[in-house]
Amino acid sequence: QVQLVESGGGLVQAGGSLRLSCAASGSIFSINSMGWYRQAPQAPGKQRELVARITSGGITNYADSVKGRFTISRDNAKNTVYLQMNSLKPEDTAVYSCNAGVRTIQSRYFMDYWGKGSLVTVSS
């Protein structure tokens, strides 16, 4: 099995910064893309939205709402993905979840795995 564990969430004032980390562990053979998604806590019916993704080769893509403020990176040796969030706004408040496409040692295929999420609250 594979586990994704996020860390680094919390409360920050508008204009501040936070760095999220997500470490994958378990019987991992290979990881292709990794990413961060978010869902506003006051809108549980709203679909989770993509924040940023990064391929194993380092190619990134971002939601328009975070371009220029957030940076995604990864350490392939540590099976870890990071999200540096700068110039945070109240509308960035959400539960941020990590996602990874993982091929386990026991499998020939990649499957999607999710972390439990980390709450980021930005106060005005």
Side-chain angles (χ1 to χ4, degrees):
Q1 279 292 346
V2 173
Q3 298 82 38
L4 300 183
V5 178
E6 300 104 336
S7 60
L11 174 64
V12 65
Q13 288 188 332
S17 298
L18 281 176
R19 188 190 195 211
L20 301 180
S21 300
C22 172
S25 62
S27 55
I28 297 169
F29 179 80
S30 179
I31 302 177
N32 48 25
S33 67
M34 303 182 81
W36 292 94
Y37 291 74
R38 68 185 181 186
Q39 184 170 34
Q42 67 273 21
K46 189 177 179 181
Q47 191 172 4
R48 185 161 45 189
E49 64 170 350
L50 170 69
V51 177
R53 290 199 69 85
I54 183 167
T55 68
S56 57
I59 297 172
T60 60
N61 68 290
Y62 296 90
D64 288 342
S65 59
V66 307
K67 282 181 181 176
R69 300 188 297 123
F70 291 10
T71 302
I72 189 170
S73 61
R74 66 189 280 176
D75 185 332
N76 291 331
K78 296 181 179 180
N79 292 331
T80 299
V81 63
Y82 306 96
L83 185 69
Q84 177 66 43
M85 304 183 291
N86 299 327
S87 302
L88 282 160
K89 305 174 181 180
E91 51 264 42
D92 294 317
T93 295
V95 174
Y96 285 72
S97 299
C98 173
N99 169 266
V102 180
R103 178 184 169 187
T104 64
I105 294 171
Q106 297 84 1
S107 176
R108 296 170 57 190
Y109 306 102
F110 285 88
M111 290 182 59
D112 264 353
Y113 289 87
W114 290 88
K116 292 183 178 180
S118 181
L119 178 62
V120 171
T121 303
V122 184
S123 63
S124 57

